Amino acid sequence: MESVFNWWNHTSGQEKFVQFVAFLFVFGYSSIISGGLLGAPMGLACLYIVYDCIKKRSLAGFYMPVKAWLGLVLFLLSVIGASMLLGHKPSIHMALDYAYWAIPFPVLYYLGKQADIRYAALLGAMLSLGVSSANVAYTKYLLLQGHKLKIPIDHGRIGAFGRTCNIYALLVIGTLPLLLGAFKDRGIRASRGFMALLTAASAAGLWALWITGSRGAMLGLCLGGLFVFFTLRFRQQIWKALTAVLLTGAVLFSGYAFWGIVPGGTHSYDDSTRLHMIKSSWAMWREHKVSGVGLAQWEPNYAGKYFSYIYSKKAIQNRALNAYAKSKRIKPNAIPPKTRIAIENGSIRALTKTLMHPHNTIAWFFSTTGTIGGVGYLIFVLSFTGLFVGKIKEQPEEWIFQAGMWILLAVVIHGMVDSGIIYKGGARLLYVMLGITASYRAGKADDLATNQS
């Protein structure tokens, strides 16, 4: 493995520290085993940045091209602006949280300019997937042995370390493309031992993703990878790449929606529920087009005024009554009146409580922050997609840019049918990966400039 770790042996002590911090970032933010794994790398990174700025007597390390930060800043400002325009304090607080989650991006971008942190990030991702997939395997073994575990289990679908299956799947697709992209690295391919480890970690991650049963995550991983492939194939004709991906996506979505492909287990509710939630969000936006209903007000609006856009309350209540009657082995009309009322009221509360967002990130931002925040989110996605497409065109041999775009698209597509960056763990991991992948060439450029001077 000597060729793989050449980067480590030929770096200074300061660069080794930067690489170690990057390793901790990726491992901690992708596994989320404990809060300490989130706070430690951020604390070390902040201490290093303060030290570096004082030593150099300059803040030049924070410089990044406008195209690298403009989309993110516009997105965050649009969400905060829409919430302030609405004047709802809980929504303003949530918007500020979104900005807080984005702090890893400039921090990792700064670190990426100081040293080559690609392989440190790769090792962190490999360890994370190895540990978390082992936890999934152990949990699966306990369940097969008949143990009753106090963890989220959705009809046989499980995650790692107590995470729900969809949340864990989001963390996997925010990490796995880094491993898959690294197979193109010449140094890694030259090392049989490291190739074996990389293959094992990748296979374990793919297996764990299948066990989660998250079709949105799998769809995101597949379509994101296809877009990267076709971008490389048609570097000078990007519209051909986009057309090929859209056609392939239509086929995959057909299997997802109509052919009943259900990996990892069954699902707790059907896809018509998601479509109805999007209809509710559309109704919210139509009546609050400028600034939306508020980030903290989607659920109460959905459960109240817009619930009728889902499906009739009577149908939900009847389903709950029939389930209760079946469990008691009685006919539905034999249920006592007081029990009937309790079941009917409880069924509505239970459904609205479990569906706290529309399971579509675009619908979420348009309905909660209006056109202001919705357009801001689209600018964020398109700006980073354009950034990576440009880098891939210029330097198609650099796998790190391909991995960055793959992660971005996988998370965005997952957000079309689930939480995406609405979940803080997924958002922070995405910003970590964007900082690492977008800063790579900037770091090399700085090193060349230093050597020449």
Side-chain angles (χ1 to χ4, degrees), residues 65-82:
V66 174
K67 60 183 179 181
W69 58 263
L70 184 60
L72 176 59
V73 170
L74 289 177
F75 163 54
L76 296 175
L77 288 177
S78 69
V79 172
I80 294 172

Side-chain angles (χ1 to χ4, degrees), residues 1 22 33 55 80 85 112 189 359 416:
M1 299 185 187
I33 300 173
K55 180 183 177 182
I80 294 172
L85 184 63
R189 291 205 306 268
H359 289 69
M416 298 293 291

Side-chain angles (χ1 to χ4, degrees), residues 360-428:
N360 183 292
T361 313
I362 296 176
W364 167 261
F365 284 113
F366 270 96
S367 61
T368 58
T369 58
T371 304
I372 297 174
V375 171
Y377 173 72
L378 295 179
I379 290 174
F380 161 67
V381 173
L382 293 175
S383 67
F384 271 98
T385 302
L387 174 68
F388 284 120
V389 167
K391 287 181 176 292
I392 290 173
K393 282 184 176 181
E394 295 171 2
Q395 304 163 69
E397 73 283 354
E398 296 291 358
W399 60 270
I400 192 68
F401 300 135
Q402 300 162 32
M405 186 166 74
W406 193 346
I407 290 171
L408 171 69
L409 295 177
V411 172
V412 168
I413 294 170
H414 176 275
M416 298 293 291
V417 292
D418 209 276
S419 57
I421 64 169
I422 296 173
Y423 168 59
K424 65 179 179 181
R428 291 183 300 192

Side-chain angles (χ1 to χ4, degrees), residues 151-162:
I151 59 172
I153 301 175
D154 186 4
H155 295 71
R157 301 164 57 210
I158 57 176
F161 303 114

Side-chain angles (χ1 to χ4, degrees), residues 254-317:
S254 299
Y256 169 88
F258 304 112
W259 297 340
I261 297 176
V262 184
T266 59
H267 293 73
S268 54
Y269 53 87
D270 58 26
D271 296 316
S272 62
T273 304
R274 298 179 191 267
L275 296 176
H276 286 302
M277 285 189 288
I278 293 176
K279 290 180 181 178
S280 291
S281 299
W282 168 255
M284 291 182 199
W285 175 78
R286 289 186 63 184
E287 297 183 13
H288 306 84
K289 290 184 178 179
V290 179
S291 55
V293 299
L295 288 168
Q297 297 194 102
W298 188 91
E299 184 182 357
N301 274 276
Y302 161 72
K305 180 179 179 181
Y306 298 96
F307 188 79
S308 59
Y309 285 89
I310 302 305
Y311 37 81
S312 70
K313 294 182 179 180
K314 194 64 179 176
I316 300 169
Q317 293 169 339

Side-chain angles (χ1 to χ4, degrees), residues 238-249:
I238 192 63
W239 290 110
K240 286 187 176 181
L242 182 60
T243 302
V245 171
L246 288 176
L247 291 174
T248 307

